[in-house]
Amino acid sequence: MANHTKSFISEVGHQFNLDGYIGSSEVHGNGNVNDTFLLFCEDGDSLNRYTLQRINHDVFKNPEGLMENFSRVTRHLQAKIEDDGSDKKCLTLVPAKDGRFFHKDSNGNYWRVTKFIDGGRSFDVPEDIHQAFEAAKAFGDFQAKLADLPGDPLIETIPDFHNTRMRFDHFRSVCSKDELGLLNAVQDLVDFAMEREHLADLIKVENFPSRVVHNDTKLNNVLLHKRTGEGMCVVDLDTVMTGCVLHDFGDLVRTAACSALEDEPGLEKVFFLPETFEAIVVGYLETAGNILEPIEIEHLAIAPQIITYELGLRFLTDYLEGDVYFKVKRVDHNLDRVRAQFKLLASMEEHFDQARQIVNIHTSSHLTQ
Ligand code: GN1
Ligand code: MG
């Protein structure tokens, strides 16, 4: 679906209230689900940039409800940022010409536009520990700011998104059918997953405080200030909904306390980084520490293993189903992802005692404050 022509992208862009006219556009980012473009709008002497996204409605079945969440969340965050008088940023929706926050094209695709955030950078792998610390502060701050979101609960943009038990059961059923005959070649990965079934039941959202969380806290979903390195803006709000803070914490650890890319084929390069983990714990507690309950703190050390396992299961399931969900850029891309995630998980398991100690050190002082 990423193959939209430039003229089509311009046509879609024209449905929104942009300042200036669209001079050019380019494909942007490396999301695995939506299609993202940058629009460059010429307005007299100034050049305005916007981000245009097609919402993948095979994945997000209720794009209008999703955009309602998006709008509520960004308005709430914006008001808080203004109250604080801080220089943090939040995504700003640009309305379509009909006043709605999305445009539905003639093919039934849903599009939205946000203002491009200047002055930030995102990283797939952190360059240093400080970046992981800043990202953790930013995601913790995001949760803390949304703790008092008024009104009805947000709609569930993807039901059971982090229901690891359900992900496991689906994986097992796909294995037992093996409709594409791919199972034999990946038996080692299937065995690895089966041996860890107990992880599927350790974090069930219904057993934890129900909060507004991000649910997709990869390191590259936070922009860090280019000059100061500080966390500046949390992006990718499609999965913001009621959930458990541990999935956010865990997913940041998965992507930031890891030595390599999520799909790194050279497995010897993939391992868990305990010092970075510590920086994430400290950064996260600094902003979200006050909202956390003991049951959440008790699961901080295990949470990264759960989410890494869950994502490994999802990638492996997608491989066995014929690459129908995640975008793939090369042959066996999903398999590279599974191997890297399972290698990371094994490395997390080796360091589990150390991770627990790190959490204990920082949370005991936190709890007695
Ligand atoms: C997908 O599209 P992107 O890259 O923001 C996925 C996440 C995964 C991630 C792994 C809606 O996110 O759950 O963690 O890929 N999003 C959805 O890179 O499934
Ligand atoms: Mg995402």
Side-chain angles (χ1 to χ4, degrees):
M1 271 313 289
N3 299 328
H4 310 284
T5 61
K6 290 212 172 214
S7 67
F8 184 70
I9 290 304
S10 283
E11 201 182 307
V12 174
H14 278 120
Q15 306 304 316
F16 290 85
N17 278 321
L18 310 177
D19 288 331
Y21 72 92
I22 303 168
S24 60
S25 66
E26 62 186 38
V27 175
H28 183 65
N30 50 5
N32 291 323
V33 171
N34 290 331
D35 303 331
T36 309
F37 304 86
L38 271 189
L39 302 178
F40 299 88
C41 290
E42 292 159 23
D43 186 15
D45 285 343
S46 55
L47 184 67
N48 302 316
R49 283 178 292 175
Y50 297 93
T51 306
L52 169 71
Q53 270 186 319
R54 183 189 74 90
I55 304 165
N56 181 334
H57 61 261
D58 290 329
V59 168
F60 300 105
K61 310 272 188 219
N62 178 0
E64 299 189 20
L66 182 157
M67 289 311 297
E68 179 61 27
N69 281 1
F70 198 121
S71 152
R72 285 178 58 194
V73 164
T74 50
R75 274 183 287 137
H76 187 76
L77 291 173
Q78 185 60 41
K80 294 240 165 160
I81 290 171
E82 281 166 21
D83 279 355
D84 290 355
S86 90
D87 58 357
K88 303 277 183 258
K89 298 271 192 291
C90 129
L91 291 177
T92 310
L93 282 167
V94 176
K97 287 186 174 152
D98 63 7
R100 297 192 293 183
F101 281 122
F102 59 86
H103 165 69
K104 191 174 177 187
D105 72 19
S106 50
N107 303 317
N109 284 311
Y110 287 81
W111 299 82
R112 67 161 168 253
V113 171
T114 50
K115 290 186 183 166
F116 181 81
I117 308 263
D118 243 338
R121 273 182 77 190
S122 67
F123 299 86
D124 294 327
V125 178
E127 291 171 341
D128 54 48
I129 286 183
H130 195 69
Q131 291 179 340
F133 170 76
E134 285 295 334
K137 264 173 68 175
F139 282 124
D141 180 58
F142 181 88
Q143 292 176 344
K145 283 198 163 82
L146 288 170
D148 60 351
L149 181 76
D152 290 338
L154 296 172
I155 69 129
E156 258 193 304
T157 60
I158 302 181
D160 288 310
F161 191 53
H162 286 307
N163 183 335
T164 319
R165 166 48 57 186
M166 211 198 65
R167 300 278 185 190
F168 180 85
D169 289 347
H170 179 59
F171 160 72
R172 185 161 46 194
S173 116
V174 167
C175 286
S176 65
K177 293 191 198 114
D178 189 22
E179 282 179 0
L180 302 179
L182 296 169
L183 196 68
N184 259 345
V186 294
Q187 195 59 52
D188 57 328
L189 296 171
V190 172
D191 291 346
F192 183 97
M194 294 292 183
E195 283 159 17
R196 286 161 179 78
E197 180 182 348
H198 66 281
L199 291 176
D201 298 317
L202 293 187
I203 300 182
K204 289 179 184 286
V205 285
E206 61 271 24
N207 297 336
F208 290 83
S210 165
R211 305 184 188 278
V212 176
V213 295
H214 185 281
N215 282 316
D216 188 9
T217 50
K218 292 197 280 197
L219 176 68
N220 64 14
N221 275 337
V222 59
L223 303 179
L224 302 182
H225 199 291
K226 273 186 192 158
R227 194 169 37 79
T228 64
E230 281 175 20
M232 191 171 119
C233 184
V234 169
V235 301
D236 192 355
L237 306 180
D238 297 319
T239 49
V240 177
M241 51 185 158
T242 306
C244 173
V245 290
L246 294 162
H247 292 120
D248 283 6
F249 173 80
D251 211 27
L252 180 64
V253 173
R254 177 183 75 78
T255 49
C258 177
S259 55
L261 289 171
E262 173 178 278
D263 56 359
E264 170 60 56
L267 292 186
E268 70 289 353
K269 296 187 201 149
V270 183
F271 43 87
F272 176 66
L273 302 169
E275 285 176 21
T276 311
F277 175 73
E278 181 159 24
I280 294 171
V281 170
V282 174
Y284 180 65
L285 290 174
E286 199 169 308
T287 47
N290 286 338
I291 64 169
L292 297 184
E293 292 188 11
I295 186 171
E296 293 167 316
I297 290 178
E298 281 157 22
H299 287 79
L300 287 175
I302 192 70
Q305 291 186 36
I306 312 289
I307 196 89
T308 305
Y309 178 61
E310 180 184 287
L311 198 58
L313 286 178
R314 292 175 64 197
F315 289 144
L316 187 50
T317 306
D318 198 36
Y319 171 77
L320 293 169
E321 289 189 312
D323 302 331
V324 290
Y325 186 93
F326 295 102
K327 290 182 188 176
V328 287
K329 294 188 183 138
R330 55 182 188 254
V331 175
D332 289 350
H333 196 171
N334 264 323
L335 272 194
D336 288 343
R337 290 171 172 146
V338 184
R339 290 201 177 95
Q341 294 308 297
F342 283 176
K343 171 72 200 295
L344 174 62
L345 174 54
S347 178
M348 285 172 171
E349 288 171 351
E350 282 165 28
H351 290 92
F352 188 40
D353 286 342
Q354 196 181 351
R356 267 197 299 223
Q357 276 168 22
I358 289 169
V359 170
N360 284 344
I361 290 166
H362 294 285
T363 54
S364 56
S365 62
H366 170 80
L367 289 173
T368 52
Q369 259 171 27

